[in-house]
Amino acid sequence: MQIDPRRLAVLRAVAEAGGVLAAAATLHLTPSAVSQHIARLESETGVTLLDRSRLGGRRAAGLTPAGRMLAGHAARLADVLAAAEHDLAAYTGKVTGPVSVGAFPTAIRHLVAPAARDLATTAPAVTVGIRQVELEPGRAALRTGEMDLLVVESDAADPPLDLAGLSTVKLLDDPYRVVVPRSWGEVGDLDVLRGRPWVDGPPGSALRRVLDRLSARHGLVLDRRHECMEFPAALALVAAGLAAAVVPALALRAGEVSPAVRAVALPLVGARRLDLLHRRGRHEPSPAARMVAEAVAARARTLPP
């Protein structure tokens, strides 16, 4: 019997993601492809690994006891490979390999892409793959090993992230700014903005919590007429004269904002916290991922407070 280690990795993804559908999303495979990998692994081992009795029900199909046992071996195999990378890097003094980094748009623009550009010169044997990804899919991909590093945002007023199996490295606090259309004229205080339309963030977002806090702290009933997931879209609405918005300072870097948008000097509304996540483990992150993480953190230190 010879077990294909690539199929073991798929089995591990099913175990850690909680089912075939979730594993398919994190591995960027179709559910059918994941099922085929598991079926071939079952053929190689001669045992049933996927509990198909729950297929078609409300619960995701899980692993059989044999599947969970083999998934445990897959996790240990991943640890062995990680240890080999560390030992080889220490022996040769060279760091090589691919590193997958997930982030949101402003972090990609100001942190991850510049760090990758720097490493292309200083460490060309480290190849950085960058993916724009939402928080929950990013966490899942990080846990299954499909992604090595993940930059996330949260409201700085919230407690620090404590995620099972993941380690958090704070990068920076990115202060929020109130922006208005220049066509609205001078804005000296928030009272001027009573009754004006605003751009809200989606439910559960850091921006939604910021506007909730702003409204409660200053007794404002905000006309949240618009809702945008990303700050460039919110700034486009402001530039069009349609609404005021709250955006982080990174989204207002020189040369990136329309002259029709004005940041106004109003009471501080807090900041968002940017964190870098990686898997927690004796051999995590890998030498290459650690080098990329340090480059991203170095970029964060160059940004103004």
Side-chain angles (χ1 to χ4, degrees), residues 166-236:
L166 302 178
S167 292
T168 304
V169 178
K170 181 178 178 180
L171 294 173
L172 74 152
D173 285 332
D174 187 13
Y176 285 111
R177 303 284 186 249
V178 176
V179 293
V180 300
R182 193 169 293 275
S183 60
W184 286 7
E186 294 296 326
V187 176
D189 56 52
L190 284 171
D191 282 336
V192 177
L193 298 178
R194 290 181 184 273
R196 293 280 196 173
W198 287 74
V199 182
D200 200 0
S205 67
L207 183 55
R208 173 70 65 90
R209 291 194 293 277
V210 169
L211 286 182
D212 289 344
R213 188 166 62 242
L214 182 69
S215 178
R217 185 175 297 171
H218 299 281
L220 295 174
V221 177
L222 301 178
D223 176 6
R224 306 187 189 198
R225 192 172 306 178
H226 311 284
E227 182 178 306
C228 292
M229 293 181 62
E230 298 184 356
F231 296 116
L235 287 169

Side-chain angles (χ1 to χ4, degrees), residues 30 37 52 54 57 59 68 87 102 118 154 172 209 211 221 238 242 252 258 271 294 305:
T30 65
H37 277 292
R52 293 172 176 81
R54 293 189 286 177
R59 295 187 299 168
R68 291 192 294 273
D87 291 347
D118 295 343
S154 59
L172 74 152
R209 291 194 293 277
L211 286 182
V221 177
V238 177
L242 298 176
L252 295 172
S258 166
E294 290 171 352

Side-chain angles (χ1 to χ4, degrees), residues 14-34:
V14 172
E16 295 185 349
V20 169
L21 291 176
T26 59
L27 294 174
H28 290 282
L29 297 173
T30 65
S32 175
V34 172

Side-chain angles (χ1 to χ4, degrees), residues 94-97 115-128 287-288 291-292 295:
K94 298 178 181 179
V95 177
T96 64
R117 182 190 60 212
D118 295 343
L119 288 169
T121 300
T122 60
V126 175
T127 56
V128 182
M291 180 173 286
V292 175

Side-chain angles (χ1 to χ4, degrees), residues 82-96 283 286-288 291:
E85 288 183 13
H86 278 265
D87 291 347
L88 187 60
Y91 181 79
T92 63
K94 298 178 181 179
V95 177
T96 64
H283 301 294
S286 69
M291 180 173 286

